[in-house]
Amino acid sequence: MKFLRILFVLSIFISCTAEDDYVPFQVEQIFSDDLDKTIKVDIIYVQTSDKNNKSSYSLDETHFINNLNGSFFHRYGIGLEKGDIKTIINDELHDLKDNRGEESSIFLQQTQESYKKDRVSIYIIERSNTVAIAGIGRDQRALITDEFLYTSTAPHEIGHALGLFHYPEEGNIMSEVRPHMRKDFTDAQVDRLKETLEKIETSL
């Protein structure tokens, strides 16, 4: 029983590895004005103390949010709205190579004071400062390395941030199998996402 308890705790904190997520996979974009739930998404660039701006990143935040909506979320009646764009200085979070094996717990610790509980926060770090990690997600927070922002890693980690767990079926956004093929949520996953968004709304 103790072993199962430890295994469950470990499964909550597993980071998502890169695998073959570099392989391009086109998802037909669908946009909708008829949305059941929307949530703001803050984009937070993580820098070191010797860099106090986002100069090492070149993301078009509006295009990024539009891509998430068109490729993954609008078709399910869920909309992401661009929230605040900011930079935080955090040497430990920026260089996760120094915390190998503890990346998820470090992520949660180091972001506890910088995220807002009425939205999703996406933290962006440079890919060169991790070891085989494309993203991490939990508790309305997602960390995505800059090279994986336009892959299925982004909706996968947002799914984790909003309460979804890994799913075994290939092609599912929450699958760990052939991540470049991920494109769909199940009906049960969509219900869970909307329930989470409802809880966020009603808790304010």
Side-chain angles (χ1 to χ4, degrees), residues 44 46 88-96 99 102-115 123 125 141 143:
I44 304 170
V46 182
I88 63 169
I89 307 302
N90 191 309
D91 294 311
E92 188 167 11
L93 182 57
H94 185 268
D95 194 349
L96 284 179
N99 301 289
E102 300 179 1
E103 293 94 343
S104 292
S105 57
I106 292 296
F107 169 57
L108 293 177
Q109 290 169 15
Q110 297 299 318
T111 57
Q112 189 62 35
E113 303 300 323
S114 57
Y115 85 104
Y123 295 81
I125 68 170
R141 288 167 275 173
L143 179 143

Side-chain angles (χ1 to χ4, degrees), residues 51-202:
K51 294 180 182 176
N52 59 7
N53 57 49
K54 67 167 189 172
S55 59
S56 60
Y57 301 101
S58 57
L59 179 67
D60 180 331
E61 297 92 359
T62 299
H63 185 272
F64 173 57
I65 295 296
N66 285 342
N67 181 70
L68 285 169
N69 281 326
S71 297
F72 302 104
F73 288 99
H74 269 208
R75 70 191 67 217
Y76 298 108
I78 296 171
L80 308 180
E81 297 178 356
K82 188 174 76 171
D84 299 332
I85 311 297
K86 58 184 178 179
T87 299
I88 63 169
I89 307 302
N90 191 309
D91 294 311
E92 188 167 11
L93 182 57
H94 185 268
D95 194 349
L96 284 179
K97 283 180 181 175
D98 291 343
N99 301 289
R100 193 169 187 183
E102 300 179 1
E103 293 94 343
S104 292
S105 57
I106 292 296
F107 169 57
L108 293 177
Q109 290 169 15
Q110 297 299 318
T111 57
Q112 189 62 35
E113 303 300 323
S114 57
Y115 85 104
K116 296 179 180 178
K117 295 183 179 180
D118 64 338
R119 58 193 66 192
V120 169
S121 295
I122 295 178
Y123 295 81
I124 300 173
I125 68 170
E126 296 174 74
R127 170 67 177 161
S128 59
N129 291 316
T130 68
V131 178
I133 289 179
I136 304 170
R138 191 174 173 215
D139 294 351
Q140 293 174 232
R141 288 167 275 173
L143 179 143
I144 306 170
T145 56
D146 57 356
E147 292 182 22
F148 288 86
L149 290 165
Y150 280 92
T151 69
S152 66
T153 293
H156 180 96
E157 301 306 341
I158 291 171
H160 281 317
L162 293 174
L164 298 185
F165 296 99
H166 283 141
Y167 189 80
E169 185 178 311
E170 182 179 303
N172 187 272
I173 291 172
M174 302 312 298
S175 175
E176 295 180 280
V177 180
R178 300 180 72 195
H180 66 283
M181 297 295 292
R182 299 186 293 212
K183 63 184 181 67
D184 299 310
F185 287 118
T186 66
D187 290 342
Q189 288 170 331
V190 173
D191 289 344
R192 177 67 188 274
L193 289 172
K194 290 179 180 178
E195 286 170 10
T196 301
L197 296 178
E198 180 69 28
K199 286 178 183 176
I200 294 171
E201 286 178 11
T202 57

